[in-house]
Amino acid sequence: MTAVTAAPAPPGEAPAAPRSGRTRARTAGLVLGLVLLVAAAALSLAVGAKQIPLDQVWSGLFTPSGTADDAIVRQLRLPRTLIGVAVGAALGLAGAVMQTVTRNPLADPGLLGVNSGAAAAVVTAISVLGITSFTGYLWFALVGAAVAATAVNALGGSRGATPVRLALAGTAVNAALLGYVNGLQLWDLSTLDSMRYWSVGTLAKRDLHLLVVVLPLLAAGALLALGLARPLGALSLGDDQARALGTKVERTRVLSVVAVTLLCGAATAVCGPIGFVGLMVPHAARSFSGPDPRWLFPYCAVFAPVLLLVSDVIGRVVVPPSEIEVGTVTAFLGGLLFVHLVRKRKVAQL
């Protein structure tokens, strides 16, 4: 009797079993990320200047009895945690989109001028219009982020933009806007005082009203980014290859800029500029998800809030009873990542 052998897989196509195994592993990684996110949220609700047991956190959320612990959980930590989840997911997604569209693993959402545009609008609102409330800052920050991102896209060539031109345009716009912000702050010391707290990047003293206002923008940006995963995956192969696969390259780049603006602009408006989350998380996520944006983007949306919430908890407990703002903690962690990347690249070149 002649033995029957399995037909070989078509050229360029992986065998079904390994592909199925990779899918299961990636799915398990996402489930693990969701578990870690729940744990980070519980940690954020329980840990702070006053430690609250988890059973008391649960009762404070669902069966409050009017105690001081209930008030801390519901009025202070719950808004802080929910904002951290939404902002973290937005920054992680924005970073993944930015790195994919520019084909630059060191790209950050700030490369599009979003942070500097928001800062320029806020400092103008404070100095010229005398606005001092976070609700007032919100809309100016959103408009400033959108204007700056539009300017970067136009200078980069709009529909004919390339990754290099976008990066150069972003650097130029960032430099100009930061010079304007610094000059206006030095000219008006009261503006400097008001701006200092917003620009440090923090989840503290933010109420749910701000999140409710920007949630539609965050949701629209997230849906747009996830919808662009397939064409961005083709774009990562190069413009010519993407066109051969039927991807509309120019439209994909423009929509990517829109997605980053919505995500990072809304997040910056609520919490101020929080750096390095959009840089660190995609780097770590690629080790598990691979480079395919269809997996990378959901990974970043899940693991970025974990990083942000844990960083916020670290800032609460490292120098009690004071706090270190989460933007400072993520900047420190981002600096360590840069050192690691530089050392890794030097070793690779030996």
Side-chain angles (χ1 to χ4, degrees):
M1 181 179 294
T2 305
V4 178
T5 58
E13 183 175 327
R19 181 183 301 159
S20 176
R22 285 197 301 271
T23 300
R24 286 197 297 269
R26 288 167 170 170
T27 303
L30 275 179
V31 173
L32 174 62
L34 291 172
V35 172
L36 291 176
L37 180 56
V38 171
L43 197 67
S44 177
L45 291 169
V47 176
K50 178 177 174 53
Q51 311 297 325
I52 301 176
L54 287 177
D55 59 341
Q56 183 61 45
V57 169
W58 181 268
S59 64
L61 289 174
F62 300 105
T63 57
S65 56
T67 65
D69 286 349
D70 292 347
I72 292 173
V73 169
R74 296 176 67 88
Q75 298 175 20
L76 298 178
R77 294 185 184 171
L78 180 60
R80 189 169 183 166
T81 301
L82 292 177
I83 290 173
V85 171
V87 167
L91 293 177
L93 264 177
V97 172
M98 195 69 241
Q99 291 179 17
T100 304
V101 76
T102 62
R103 298 198 288 274
N104 180 0
L106 296 180
D108 185 81
L111 185 65
L112 276 181
V114 173
N115 288 349
S116 55
V122 169
V123 78
T124 301
I126 293 171
S127 180
V128 177
L129 302 178
I131 294 174
T132 57
S133 68
F134 284 110
T135 305
Y137 296 164
L138 183 65
W139 296 109
F140 283 92
L142 286 170
V143 171
V147 170
T150 302
V152 168
N153 190 50
L155 291 173
S158 190
R159 295 181 67 83
T162 64
V164 174
R165 292 173 69 178
L166 276 175
L168 291 174
T171 301
V173 170
N174 266 318
L177 290 176
L178 290 177
Y180 167 76
V181 169
N182 292 334
L184 200 56
Q185 286 178 326
L186 292 175
W187 177 64
D188 185 351
L189 294 180
S190 63
T191 298
L192 176 62
D193 291 337
S194 299
M195 185 71 178
R196 184 183 295 122
Y197 186 72
W198 178 83
S199 64
V200 73
T202 181
L203 300 177
K205 299 181 180 178
R206 303 297 196 263
D207 59 55
L208 282 179
H209 170 70
L210 298 177
L211 179 60
V212 171
V213 171
V214 302
L215 196 57
L217 301 176
L218 293 174
L223 291 174
L224 181 57
L226 294 172
L228 290 170
R230 184 180 293 274
L232 281 174
L235 194 62
S236 65
L237 302 174
D239 290 4
D240 293 338
Q241 184 69 24
R243 290 190 179 94
L245 293 173
T247 300
K248 297 182 179 179
V249 173
E250 293 79 10
R251 187 182 72 173
T252 299
R253 282 211 180 93
V254 170
L255 291 177
S256 298
V257 171
V258 173
V260 172
T261 301
L262 289 172
L263 291 167
C264 200
T268 302
V270 174
C271 298
I274 298 176
F276 293 102
V277 173
L279 172 67
M280 290 187 285
V281 174
H283 269 285
R286 283 189 192 93
S287 301
F288 304 96
S289 69
D292 187 348
R294 290 173 296 178
W295 286 99
L296 176 63
F297 290 1
Y299 263 75
C300 291
V302 171
F303 281 95
V306 176
L307 172 65
L308 193 62
L309 291 177
V310 171
S311 298
D312 187 42
V313 171
I314 292 172
R316 298 183 210 175
V317 301
V318 70
V319 285
S322 301
E323 290 190 8
I324 298 176
E325 286 76 9
V326 67
T328 304
V329 178
T330 58
F332 174 75
L333 296 176
L336 294 179
L337 175 64
F338 266 118
V339 171
H340 169 71
L341 291 176
V342 170
R343 289 174 60 86
K344 184 177 179 181
R345 180 162 296 185
K346 284 183 178 180
V347 171
Q349 292 174 348
L350 291 178

